């Protein structure tokens, strides 16, 4: 049997005069007098393989000349050096088997470029386009690079629960989970349960046993914000490290961002070049810059001072104590510093109960990383490891201490300074691909009023 090969491998190997089989979908067909050119894509890479199908093939008139975009085919032939410009090899077909037809009258993906908005309306077909296929490959590589980063540094991956009874961020944005028809019965889980907004609290449990852990999974937020950077279901990477303070946390987050971006620059160059050309001009230079530059570090108080000193009119007025809005974050990273900015030491009043309270009596050891085009990409902190202060903070936040007794136990028995952060995976994919809307970087986006498939 002739070897089956993926197009990416064929193009990488640069071998010629071998027989092989490819499986894929037709992108275009062009007929000349004596043969047809077929452009075939199999999803392994952006490039198509050009196939030459001669008139002599037995199904030439009946089938090959009727092929159109979207038809699935299995083609066996000889790989030859190509005389044409822009490609090294071409496949001279011995057989072209049509597996599935795609009626050109109704198939929505025609040769012209479609808008990303239109493609969103056909989320079951959009991965067949160049742009969305490329996003999917870059997303997969970023996921691999994230795991690689942590595994290389001896972190242990922990699968934290999706159904939980604790609202980590305390923002009341949890989707509730119940069994159907539960209304009048005892709750399925004994008490009110919901979809996790963050795996952090459970990651803390494991960090205080295994030292360095990370969780990477889906998280859910019922926040009613229809923006280009929010999803109701998104993925988050959350490391948690024992014997680690805010400085060590910032270093870990910086190293992670630089590692994964330099990985995709190296391993997804063809896909990134497409984005650089059509989606965000200058993307490659931006990513290279982030890998090489030092990130700016400023405190929240310094950020507020800087922002009050600029002439820019903000929708939300700037004063100490406000939560930084996207417009403020983007001003800092895009206009003022033009590089990633780490903002630390936020007012305790705007941050969750678990962040470590500082000696100034006003701020907590929090850090957010802001990047151009996105704003906040990472949110993290050193955690409060002192039992009595944590209890006090929970009282102030109106949190039921009985429900979180297990969390307090971590401070009762062998407590240690520890820290961690959450990196929004879709915001990372947005940053790496230049996609301005977060709905383009997750296969099936879920937003208020929208969850097809
Ligand atoms: O800043 P957040 O809310 O932090 C936490 O959840 C912490 N418990 C993380 C931790 O310390 N382990 O969320 C972290 C990141 C944000 O910086 C952002 O990148 C992303 O998650 N994020 C969202 N991404 C898409 N859609 C949403 N609705 C998001 N909300 C947060
Ligand atoms: Mg945040």
């Amino acid at each position: 049997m002739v070897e089956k090969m993926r197009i990416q491998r064929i193009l990488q190997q640069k071998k010629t005069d071998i027989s092989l089989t490819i499986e894929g979908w037709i992108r275009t067909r062009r007929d000349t007098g004596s043969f047809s050119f077929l452009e075939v894509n199999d999803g392994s890479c952006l490039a198509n393989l050009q196939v030459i199908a001669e008139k002599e093939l037995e199904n030439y008139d009946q089938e090959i000349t009727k092929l159109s975009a979207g038809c699935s085919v299995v083609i066996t032939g000889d790989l030859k050096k190509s005389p044409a410009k822009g490609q090294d090899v071409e496949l001279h077909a011995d057989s072209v088997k049509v597996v599935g037809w795609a009626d050109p009258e109704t198939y929505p993906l025609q040769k012209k470029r479609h808008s990303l908005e239109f493609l969103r309306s056909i989320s079951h077909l959009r991965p067949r386009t160049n742009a969305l296929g490329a996003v999917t490959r870059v997303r997969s590589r970023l996921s691999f690079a994230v795991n690689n980063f942590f595994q290389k540094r001896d972190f242990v991956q922990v699968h934290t629960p999706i159904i939980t009874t604790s609202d980590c961020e305390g923002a009341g944005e949890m989707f509730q989970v119940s069994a159907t028809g539960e209304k009048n019965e005892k709750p399925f889980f004994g008490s009110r349960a919901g979809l996790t907004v963050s795996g952090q609290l459970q990651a803390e449990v494991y960090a205080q046993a295994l030292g360095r852990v990370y969780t990477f999974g889906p998280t859910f937020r019922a926040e009613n914000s229809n923006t280009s950077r929010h999803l109701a279901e998104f993925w988050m990477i959350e490391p948690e490290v024992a014997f680690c303070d805010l400085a060590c946390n910032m270093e870990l987050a910086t190293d992670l961002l630089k590692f994964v971006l330099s990985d995709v620059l190296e391993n997804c160059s063809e896909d990134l070049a497409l984005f650089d050309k059509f989606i965000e001009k200058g993307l490659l230079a931006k990513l290279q810059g982030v890998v090489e530059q030092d990130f700016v570090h400023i405190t929240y108080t310094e950020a507020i001072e800087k922002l009050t000193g600029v002439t820019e009119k903000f929708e939300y007025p700037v004063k100490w104590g406000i939560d930084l809005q996207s417009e403020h974050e983007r001003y800092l990273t895009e206009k003022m510093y033009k590089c990633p900015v780490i903002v630390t030491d936020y007012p305790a009043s705007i941050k969750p109960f678990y962040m470590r309270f500082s000696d100034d009596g006003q701020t907590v050891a929090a850090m957010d990383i802001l990047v151009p085009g996105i704003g906040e990409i990472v949110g993290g902190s050193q955690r409060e490891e002192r039992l009595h202060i944590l209890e006090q903070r929970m009282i102030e936040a109106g949190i039921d201490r009985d429900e979180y007794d297990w969390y307090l136990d971590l401070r009762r028995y062998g407590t240690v300074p520890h820290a961690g952060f959450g990196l929004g995976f879709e915001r990372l994919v947005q940053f790496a691909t230049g996609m301005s809307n977060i709905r383009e970087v997750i296969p099936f986006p879920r937003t208020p009023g929208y969850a097809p498939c």
Side-chain angles (χ1 to χ4, degrees):
M1 215 182 83
V2 186
E3 193 189 356
K4 246 191 229 175
M5 271 175 90
R6 303 267 284 163
I7 292 173
Q8 183 188 37
R9 188 66 35 96
I10 294 172
L11 299 177
Q12 270 169 0
Q13 284 187 351
K14 296 200 168 133
K15 273 195 209 154
T16 49
D17 301 312
I18 48 171
S19 296
L20 52 86
T21 297
I22 60 165
E23 300 163 327
W25 292 267
I26 298 287
R27 283 292 175 83
T28 60
R29 189 199 84 235
R30 187 163 58 85
D31 303 326
T32 69
S34 53
F35 61 90
S36 297
F37 288 113
L38 308 175
E39 289 286 335
V40 180
N41 188 280
D42 68 0
S44 63
C45 62
L46 189 63
N48 303 325
L49 187 64
Q50 178 163 287
V51 175
I52 298 194
E54 307 271 356
K55 226 177 168 164
E56 283 67 39
L57 291 170
E58 57 167 15
N59 58 345
Y60 187 81
D61 293 327
Q62 286 295 317
E63 293 190 326
I64 294 175
T65 53
K66 299 193 174 86
L67 284 170
S68 58
C71 295
S72 50
V73 288
V74 176
I75 302 177
T76 299
D78 293 323
L79 195 66
K80 298 252 162 72
K81 198 168 157 34
S82 171
K85 265 209 205 122
Q87 59 185 32
D88 295 331
V89 291
E90 59 192 23
L91 188 65
H92 291 248
D94 295 328
S95 100
V96 175
K97 183 167 173 250
V98 183
V99 180
W101 293 99
D103 183 352
E105 296 296 317
T106 55
Y107 186 58
L109 296 175
Q110 296 306 324
K111 203 181 169 207
K112 68 175 181 117
R113 271 178 74 190
H114 298 286
S115 74
L116 294 168
E117 289 75 15
F118 167 72
L119 292 176
R120 236 178 269 148
S121 73
I122 46 166
S123 54
H124 59 299
L125 295 173
R126 70 176 183 165
R128 301 178 184 201
T129 62
N130 282 343
L132 273 291
V135 166
T136 311
R137 284 185 295 270
V138 171
R139 185 180 166 109
S140 166
R141 183 72 207 187
L142 280 169
S143 168
F144 172 77
V146 163
N147 284 299
N148 198 15
F149 174 87
F150 287 117
Q151 298 289 341
K152 276 187 170 167
R153 281 164 184 71
D154 302 329
F155 279 67
V156 177
Q157 185 177 21
V158 176
H159 295 126
T160 50
I162 288 171
I163 297 175
T164 173
T165 49
S166 39
D167 178 1
C168 173
E169 296 305 290
E173 288 168 350
M174 258 168 105
F175 287 101
Q176 288 196 30
V177 174
S178 62
T180 38
E182 190 180 87
K183 264 191 210 131
N184 307 315
E185 296 157 28
K186 231 176 91 212
F188 187 91
F189 296 105
S191 63
R192 234 174 53 164
L195 298 178
T196 185
V197 297
S198 160
Q200 177 197 320
L201 302 185
Q202 292 90 350
E204 282 187 56
V205 169
Y206 275 77
Q208 288 184 69
L210 299 165
R212 298 168 178 206
V213 300
Y214 71 106
T215 175
F216 183 1
T219 45
F220 308 85
R221 298 207 182 168
E223 55 188 330
N224 207 3
S225 36
N226 244 320
T227 79
S228 59
R229 284 177 297 278
H230 288 89
L231 291 165
E233 175 179 301
F234 62 100
W235 287 62
M236 214 195 316
I237 296 134
E238 296 182 274
E240 193 67 36
V241 186
F243 304 99
C244 174
D245 61 9
L246 192 66
C248 135
N249 201 30
M250 283 158 57
E251 197 180 312
L252 182 68
T254 306
D255 289 352
L256 172 63
L257 286 174
K258 286 176 184 274
F259 181 92
V260 299
L261 293 175
S262 88
D263 183 291
V264 287
L265 276 167
E266 194 180 324
N267 293 293
C268 300
S269 53
E270 189 189 28
D271 289 328
L272 294 186
L274 176 87
F275 301 133
D276 190 81
K277 195 165 170 198
F278 295 113
I279 304 291
E280 180 185 341
K281 299 237 173 333
L283 173 77
L284 292 170
K286 174 190 87 175
L287 297 177
Q288 199 61 50
V290 171
V291 170
E292 286 161 11
Q293 282 163 354
D294 289 333
F295 293 6
V296 167
H297 295 189
I298 53 168
T299 64
Y300 168 89
T301 304
E302 285 164 352
I304 294 292
E305 276 165 15
K306 297 264 185 207
L307 289 168
T308 41
V310 301
T311 51
E312 182 96 359
K313 284 270 162 287
F314 294 113
E315 192 187 332
Y316 294 89
V318 179
K319 68 168 199 284
W320 204 95
I322 62 153
D323 203 358
L324 291 183
Q325 301 295 318
S326 170
E327 55 173 346
H328 309 132
E329 295 173 343
R330 294 187 59 173
Y331 189 88
L332 288 169
T333 176
E334 287 166 20
K335 299 210 171 120
M336 199 171 278
Y337 295 107
K338 301 186 170 58
C339 73
V341 178
I342 312 186
V343 183
T344 61
D345 304 288
Y346 284 74
S349 55
I350 56 168
K351 289 292 186 187
F353 73 97
Y354 56 72
M355 295 191 178
R356 192 177 196 279
F357 201 57
S358 300
D359 294 342
D360 63 15
Q362 287 190 310
T363 62
V364 285
M367 63 131 190
D368 277 6
I369 304 187
L370 319 175
V371 294
I374 308 277
E376 178 190 338
I377 193 165
V378 166
S381 64
Q382 185 173 339
R383 320 306 188 189
E384 184 55 76
E385 84 285 10
R386 298 160 297 184
L387 179 64
H388 64 288
I389 298 180
L390 184 59
E391 285 181 314
Q392 190 55 38
R393 292 271 289 151
M394 287 170 88
I395 293 168
E396 284 161 18
I399 291 167
D400 182 351
R401 273 179 301 164
D402 290 343
E403 269 181 40
Y404 287 84
D405 204 45
W406 59 272
Y407 191 66
L408 293 169
D409 261 359
L410 303 175
R411 278 72 182 168
R412 290 187 185 112
Y413 309 121
T415 190
V416 286
H418 61 288
F421 61 84
L423 165 61
F425 189 52
E426 283 72 25
R427 294 199 186 169
L428 174 66
V429 184
Q430 263 192 290
F431 188 69
T433 57
M435 283 293 174
S436 59
N437 197 313
I438 199 164
R439 294 167 178 83
E440 262 68 84
V441 299
I442 186 162
F444 300 99
R446 273 87 179 85
T447 52
Y450 186 78
C453 285

